[in-house]
Amino acid sequence: MAAPTSPTLKDLPKVSPTVKSELEGFSADKLKHTETVEKVVLPTKEDVQQEKTHNALLEGVEKFDSEQLKKTETQEKNRLPSPDDVQQEKTHQNLLTGVEHFNKDSMKNVTPEEKTHLPSPEEIQQEKKLQSHLDGIENFDANKLKHADTVEKNSLPTADDIKSEKTA
């Protein structure tokens, strides 16, 4: 490994003149003496116990003897289809085969007929009647109406009516 070299003057960062003058006038005698106190945080009882448990687990894994294991054989279980499943699959395959190998030449030529439903004479008559009724309402001319004054009549009871009510 090569020894570190000092940077050249042009590689050094530029410092403002005020900071530079303060640095030149610096004296270590002006500093106050202080005592350094080192603080060491000790782990708690739970932290120590947790670390011991972890280390014991790692040690157990590292020192495990694989010779203590018993030889076992894995058995793969394949479920066989039931007779219903087999029959259903055969039916499905037969349908697919029948559709794929269908002979179109054996079919007859057919021309489709479009049938239109025409309304009966009664239905036509009902619709005409409804339409004429609606036309009469829509085309009604309100100017043909005559002006009428409404007169409210209150009939007063006769003397006999008053007499009969008093006696009752």
Side-chain angles (χ1 to χ4, degrees):
M1 189 164 170
T5 58
S6 326
T8 60
L9 185 61
K10 65 180 180 177
D11 293 336
L12 293 174
K14 303 292 181 208
V15 181
S16 69
T18 56
V19 174
K20 191 175 184 180
S21 65
E22 287 179 12
L23 288 175
E24 289 172 351
F26 175 73
S27 170
D29 299 335
K30 295 179 181 177
L31 294 176
K32 297 179 187 175
H33 179 71
T34 59
E35 290 290 326
T36 352
V37 178
E38 208 172 305
K39 293 183 179 178
V40 179
V41 178
L42 296 176
T44 63
K45 186 175 181 179
E46 292 84 21
D47 292 340
V48 172
Q49 184 62 36
Q50 186 179 9
E51 190 174 345
K52 281 183 182 178
T53 306
H54 181 70
N55 287 340
L57 179 67
L58 288 179
E59 187 177 319
V61 171
E62 289 172 356
K63 293 182 179 180
F64 180 72
D65 184 17
S66 61
E67 298 297 322
Q68 295 176 351
L69 295 176
K70 295 178 185 176
K71 181 76 174 169
T72 60
E73 192 173 314
T74 306
Q75 295 178 359
E76 289 187 27
K77 295 182 181 180
N78 291 331
R79 184 183 80 84
L80 296 175
S82 68
D84 292 337
D85 293 339
V86 172
Q87 184 60 38
Q88 186 178 8
E89 190 172 339
K90 280 183 181 178
T91 306
H92 183 69
Q93 285 297 330
N94 289 339
L95 285 174
L96 287 178
T97 306
V99 169
E100 289 173 356
H101 300 302
F102 182 73
N103 186 6
K104 296 179 186 174
D105 297 331
S106 65
M107 295 176 74
K108 295 179 184 176
N109 189 13
V110 176
T111 52
E113 293 181 22
E114 291 186 26
K115 295 184 178 181
T116 335
H117 172 69
L118 295 176
S120 68
E122 293 85 23
E123 291 173 338
I124 294 173
Q125 191 62 32
Q126 283 178 345
E127 193 171 335
K128 281 183 180 178
K129 187 176 177 183
L130 178 66
Q131 192 61 39
S132 66
H133 184 67
L134 290 176
D135 286 343
I137 293 172
E138 290 174 356
N139 300 328
F140 180 73
D141 187 14
N143 294 330
K144 292 181 181 177
L145 294 176
K146 296 178 184 174
H147 181 71
D149 289 329
T150 308
V151 178
E152 192 174 319
K153 295 182 179 179
N154 288 331
S155 60
L156 296 174
T158 63
D160 292 335
D161 292 336
I162 295 172
K163 218 183 230 184
S164 65
E165 270 189 38
K166 284 183 178 180
T167 57

